[in-house]
Amino acid sequence: MFARVQRSAGALRNTRAVVGRSMAVKATLPPLPYAYAALEPAISGEIMEIHHAKHHATYVNNFNATLTAIEAAQEAGDVPQLITLQSALKFNGGGHVNHSLFWENLAPVGEGGSPSGALAAAIDADFGSLDAFKTAFGAAAVGVQGSGWAWLVYNKSTGRTEITTRANQDPVSTNAAHVPLLGVDVWEHAYYLQYKNVRPDYVKAVWDVVNWKVVEERLIAAKK
């Protein structure tokens, strides 16, 4: 996108057909694979409903509106407007991508299993033990300043799993070597109604509802 923005208005008009086709596919709010109350007591049904039906839906709507605005700016050859819209595209697109991954890596208590196979081996090799990983991940999540995310990622460059954080709604893909495996949303809207300002209690509770099966599936796919 940024390469196109650098071009002249005439060149921008010449590419509008290609961009138009890519922009035609808008984002949709994915349904949750469980009921809103299914993650209780770790995460309340009220939080899940507001988080999914309000917050995630807002990212989807704003992302689609941004795509529409980009299409219009592309047609008009409006380079300054295209540049201006990049921040909204990243924020709302990242919000949609991050939340879509987040819902999938959660499961009702007792249904998410525990790390096994390739995932268990990677955690032991890279962190020493599951408990050590949880401690390190929890520290990273609690330590995010303001709003953001904590992630377990697979680093394609090193072939190892790593813990990383992102501010706001920046997606993991801001580092091309990182493949997201497990993400925890530490925006206050993810926990405040239940845990108030005690983020550590929320992060600790999340371990009860992690879908380790999905995390391992992502790791296996990332290694291919």
Side-chain angles (χ1 to χ4, degrees), residues 94-136:
H96 173 50
V97 169
N98 290 340
H99 284 88
S100 296
L101 292 168
F102 182 53
W103 308 135
E104 293 177 355
N105 65 220
L106 299 176
V109 176
E111 294 185 16
S114 57
S116 62
L119 177 61
I123 289 175
D124 287 344
D126 298 333
F127 301 99
S129 68
L130 179 60
D131 285 342
F133 161 68
K134 288 182 176 180
T135 298

Side-chain angles (χ1 to χ4, degrees), residues 185-200:
D185 186 351
V186 291
W187 280 65
E188 284 193 343
H189 65 233
Y191 62 88
Y192 196 85
L193 286 176
Q194 184 173 359
Y195 294 95
K196 302 300 186 276
N197 64 332
V198 189
R199 184 188 289 179

Side-chain angles (χ1 to χ4, degrees), residues 119-190:
L119 177 61
I123 289 175
D124 287 344
D126 298 333
F127 301 99
S129 68
L130 179 60
D131 285 342
F133 161 68
K134 288 182 176 180
T135 298
F137 189 98
V142 171
V144 172
Q145 294 186 358
S147 302
W149 292 75
W151 292 94
L152 173 67
V153 301
Y154 176 72
N155 189 322
K156 293 185 291 184
S157 297
T158 64
R160 299 173 67 88
T161 55
E162 300 174 357
I163 295 168
T164 187
T165 60
R166 294 290 189 274
N168 299 315
Q169 293 297 349
D170 289 359
V172 168
S173 59
T174 53
N175 184 328
H178 286 174
V179 179
L181 305 178
L182 169 67
V184 174
D185 186 351
V186 291
W187 280 65
E188 284 193 343
H189 65 233

Side-chain angles (χ1 to χ4, degrees), residues 22-86:
S22 66
M23 295 302 183
V25 180
K26 301 297 174 70
T28 57
L29 182 66
L32 295 185
Y34 38 74
Y36 286 131
L39 303 184
E40 293 182 345
I43 305 176
S44 74
E46 181 184 18
I47 286 178
M48 289 299 297
E49 182 171 6
I50 294 172
H51 199 172
H52 176 258
K54 301 296 184 182
H55 289 282
H56 189 173
T58 297
Y59 293 123
V60 169
N61 293 336
N62 289 342
F63 177 68
N64 289 337
T66 302
L67 291 182
T68 298
I70 287 175
E71 287 180 315
Q74 186 80 39
E75 287 289 335
D78 189 342
V79 176
Q81 178 67 352
L82 283 169
I83 295 172
T84 298
L85 289 167
Q86 297 308 305

